[in-house]
Amino acid sequence: MKIQKIPEASIMRLSVYSRHLAHLDQMGIVTTSSGEIAEGVGVSSAQVRKDLAYFGEFGTRGVGYNVKDLHHHILKILGLNNEWPIILIGAGNLGTALCLYRGFNERGFRIAGVFDNDIKKQGQMVGEITILPMEKLEQVIEEYEVKMGIVAVPSSFAQEIVNLMVKYGIKAIFNFAPRALSVPDDVELRNVDLAVNLEVLTFKLSI
Amino acid sequence: MKIQKIPEASIMRLSVYSRHLAHLDQMGIVTTSSGEIAEGVGVSSAQVRKDLAYFGEFGTRGVGYNVKDLHHHILKILGLNNEWPIILIGAGNLGTALCLYRGFNERGFRIAGVFDNDIKKQGQMVGEITILPMEKLEQVIEEYEVKMGIVAVPSSFAQEIVNLMVKYGIKAIFNFAPRALSVPDDVELRNVDLAVNLEVLTFKLSI
């Protein structure tokens, strides 16, 4: 398995396939085909086969895929056979929404701590989680062995926050601040800039 | 300019370059280079030149780019020389956060209406915007000539909502529901699944 060569888009599609497989499994369906998965998620069946082929042989020719097995395999590939504790920095509107976002919980992500430097927010609850001061960051990361963090702070604080997270051992960061951030080579950084996504749409509407 | 061949990643980077150029302009800087832009946003200077080359010749060899001109050009390419009214469906936690998200406003997006089918939410305010019932959707889209919409409803309602938006004339949809949605060929659909993004990170942490 040549990990380096697997396109990120394939990883994202695996994640989508796994939801569809969970759905099929819930409906009691035992076997499926690349065509059925493709139709369920809106890609071509060749794409499904290609994405799966990066990780070995799964199906049986003429029979298809066992739903439970394939679902389990994909979750394992994605590292989702374990729960992932995550920390979230910034308890503003976006941070609060992310903290309450059911989609994370459903996929095995657990918010281990929410942090904000605003004294008025500290001690308040977001759902069932208490907003903590930044001074507690190191302790929570250690206690829950957290490797992943979400940054939902204003752009001007983002690099400083990321430096702290890296210092305390965070290895993967999901950043919502619209700012280019730098991290060491052994830390994965993923940026989602919501306005940039809207601008891809305005570009397409404008041509 | 062969629009069809421009990669989406280039469009997204143009959006990022334009923010950096706005920043340079605010600091009173008149000319810049692909190298400076590259450093400012964390890509290679070859990448900057390649992305810009899709849209023609901008700089002067040996002199570089005029900051204001290039900024203006990019905004025009992205369709951001105009304000874009947008509607937002779903006033849950995520919808509320998106509605209050300053990043949209800063880039010329204006929320023309927020809609929710929950009677308890209707009439409540999100920032300065009143949550409206779905029955008002057609009227708001017509009145403000809205072409773009954001979907932040539970997955099970998403396709139904998208169908309504399309029916009333929406041409570009930014979807947060983790569900494959279908739209006609003349409607642009962009999906952002937040958990999928986290799973790209868990994949990388797991290998």
Side-chain angles (χ1 to χ4, degrees), chain B residues 18 21 27 29 54 69 72 87 90 94 98 107 109 122 140 143-144 154 159 173 178 183-184 201-202 204 206:
Chain B
S18 74
L21 290 164
M27 297 199 311
I29 294 167
Y54 286 115
D69 284 354
H72 177 78
I87 50 157
L94 184 61
L98 293 169
R107 300 290 288 181
F109 298 104
Q122 293 162 10
V140 169
E143 189 175 333
Y144 295 95
Q159 185 64 58
I173 295 171
V183 291
L201 291 174
T202 56
K204 289 181 177 172
S206 301

Side-chain angles (χ1 to χ4, degrees), chain B residues 32 41 152:
Chain B
T32 187
V41 304

Side-chain angles (χ1 to χ4, degrees), chain B residues 41-52:
Chain B
V41 304
V43 300
S44 73
S45 59
Q47 185 70 69
V48 173
R49 287 193 299 273
K50 196 178 162 192
D51 289 335
L52 292 175

Side-chain angles (χ1 to χ4, degrees), chain B residues 51-69:
Chain B
D51 289 335
L52 292 175
Y54 286 115
F55 302 95
E57 300 254 341
F58 292 108
T60 309
R61 191 173 290 269
V63 178
Y65 305 103
N66 178 289
V67 170
K68 266 191 208 301
D69 284 354

